[in-house]
Amino acid sequence: MKTLVLGGAGYIGSVVTRLLLQEGHQVVVLDDCSTGHEDAVADGAELVREDIGRTGDVLARGGFDAVLHFAAKSLVGESVQQPALYWHTNVMGTRAVLDAVTEHRIPRLVFSSTAAVYGDPDEVPIPETAPTRPTNTYGATKLAVDMMIGNECTATGLAAVSLRYFNVAGAAWGAGERHSTESHLIPIALDAAAGRRERLSIFGDDWPTPDGTPIRDYVHVADLARAHVLALTAAAPGEHLICNLGNGSGYSVRQVIACIEQVTGRTVPVEVARRRSGDPARLVASGDRARERLGWTPERDLRGMVADAWAFAQDRAASAPATAPATAPATAPATAPTTAR
């Protein structure tokens, strides 16, 4: 297929682009590189450095079979502090994308959604039928876009898939996490192990879990990328298919730290801080629908995620100028999963 990847200079978009090219698809990337990196765009993909509001200009060239939409603001804390920015970028930006998709009669859309739409769940593992009660602006904007896409499918016959990520980690095919503001557990803990950060803060060790720390569901970014390729042909015209993407089994913060120490051979310095408001004790995905509708099951375990992320981080550090370790405490994962662009 000829595909337009919105946000293809970011973490997940750059990995998916590499897999699309490996699978023989033609790829055009549209990204303003405000949070992504131009050098992360895969060789063989054309980069159009523009805002997603210009999606229609690219689609007007003709011949496109699908749009994959990763472009969004995705920092939970920032979304609470600057809600207007998130509603404008994530919702109004996607409205412009959907208008362009309709105008140019693009038959398929794959959207990067999030487990943050569920908020504090009533049941674990979390099915796609669970109540959606986001606890932050980021999750609320993603839920609004999911609803908007569903309406578009009904009205225009668009075939769309929303993939609700849990916690994404690892690196693949030379691409990995490179956030200017990092909020995810594994890269922060790896930086602490490497001495690039002073310590890792664990937000509460008195949760109702076996070791007292929160449990989250992690999925390797390469497995996630494969789900996007499968999603290109999963939905029927007029259908909005929603699938959770996770490993189906959770790991506690302490388990992740232990894995990192085993992989790196280094100690992760930690401190225990108070719980944060809105953090649930356990977030784990039900993968039944992704298995049934996409034919997708994750293949890589936590150790593989950590090892690949560590190798990528070390390669990046080796090629970067030396810097002093960060003095501010790092953070444990927020309730939202990784959805970096």
Side-chain angles (χ1 to χ4, degrees), residues 228-280:
H228 285 79
V229 174
L230 293 170
L232 284 172
T233 55
E239 179 186 21
H240 180 211
L241 174 62
I242 297 174
C243 293
N244 291 336
L245 295 183
N247 236 340
S249 61
Y251 300 93
S252 73
V253 174
R254 292 283 190 195
Q255 287 177 312
V256 173
I257 293 170
C259 183
I260 287 171
E261 291 182 336
Q262 291 169 4
V263 168
T264 65
R266 305 187 185 191
T267 299
V268 178
V270 301
E271 67 174 5
V272 178
R274 291 185 300 176
R275 293 189 190 185
R276 296 180 301 187
S277 175
D279 276 2

Side-chain angles (χ1 to χ4, degrees), residues 20 27 34 91 108 111 144 150 168 176 186 212 218 244 275-276 293 297 308 318 320 323-324 331 337-338:
L20 287 168
V27 182
S34 59
V91 178
R108 304 172 186 87
F111 175 60
V168 187
I186 289 176
Y218 294 86
N244 291 336
R275 293 189 190 185
R276 296 180 301 187
R293 292 297 308 273
T297 55
D308 289 344
T323 56
T331 58
T338 304

Side-chain angles (χ1 to χ4, degrees), residues 110 126 188 230 235 265:
V110 180
I126 305 169
I188 290 173
L230 293 170

Side-chain angles (χ1 to χ4, degrees), residues 33-253:
C33 296
S34 59
T35 56
H37 305 272
E38 186 169 344
D39 63 355
V41 176
D43 292 340
E46 177 190 353
L47 172 63
V48 178
R49 192 162 181 167
E50 288 284 0
D51 182 85
I52 58 172
R54 305 300 295 272
T55 297
D57 294 346
V58 179
L59 293 179
R61 301 178 184 180
F64 284 93
D65 302 294
V67 171
L68 295 94
H69 182 9
F70 301 93
K73 296 292 185 182
S74 59
L75 296 175
V76 171
E78 182 183 64
S79 79
V80 175
Q81 297 164 359
Q82 302 183 56
L85 173 64
Y86 277 66
W87 285 101
H88 176 80
T89 302
N90 295 358
V91 178
M92 296 177 67
T94 302
R95 181 65 260 168
V97 171
L98 289 174
D99 289 346
V101 164
T102 299
E103 178 183 356
H104 297 285
R105 299 183 180 181
I106 307 302
R108 304 172 186 87
L109 173 72
V110 180
F111 175 60
S112 169
S113 191
T114 171
V117 302
Y118 298 117
D120 194 349
D122 295 332
E123 59 179 314
V124 176
I126 305 169
E128 291 83 359
T129 54
T132 47
R133 298 179 299 233
T135 58
N136 53 68
T137 307
Y138 166 67
T141 62
K142 287 289 192 173
L143 178 59
V145 171
D146 276 344
M147 296 172 69
M148 194 159 57
I149 291 171
N151 292 342
E152 204 70 21
C153 292
T154 301
T156 68
L158 176 68
V161 181
S162 286
L163 299 175
R164 289 179 175 169
Y165 312 159
F166 281 64
N167 291 62
V168 187
W173 310 303
E177 292 193 71
R178 296 168 56 186
H179 306 138
S180 56
T181 301
E182 187 55 76
S183 62
H184 303 122
L185 174 60
I186 289 176
I188 290 173
L190 289 173
D191 277 350
R196 292 188 289 267
R197 287 181 182 264
E198 184 176 337
R199 69 183 71 87
L200 169 75
S201 291
I202 297 175
F203 293 108
D205 61 356
D206 58 349
W207 294 89
T209 62
D211 65 14
T213 61
I215 291 174
R216 297 292 183 266
D217 189 335
Y218 294 86
V219 60
H220 197 293
V221 68
D223 286 331
L224 193 86
R226 186 165 47 85
H228 285 79
V229 174
L230 293 170
L232 284 172
T233 55
E239 179 186 21
H240 180 211
L241 174 62
I242 297 174
C243 293
N244 291 336
L245 295 183
N247 236 340
S249 61
Y251 300 93
S252 73
V253 174

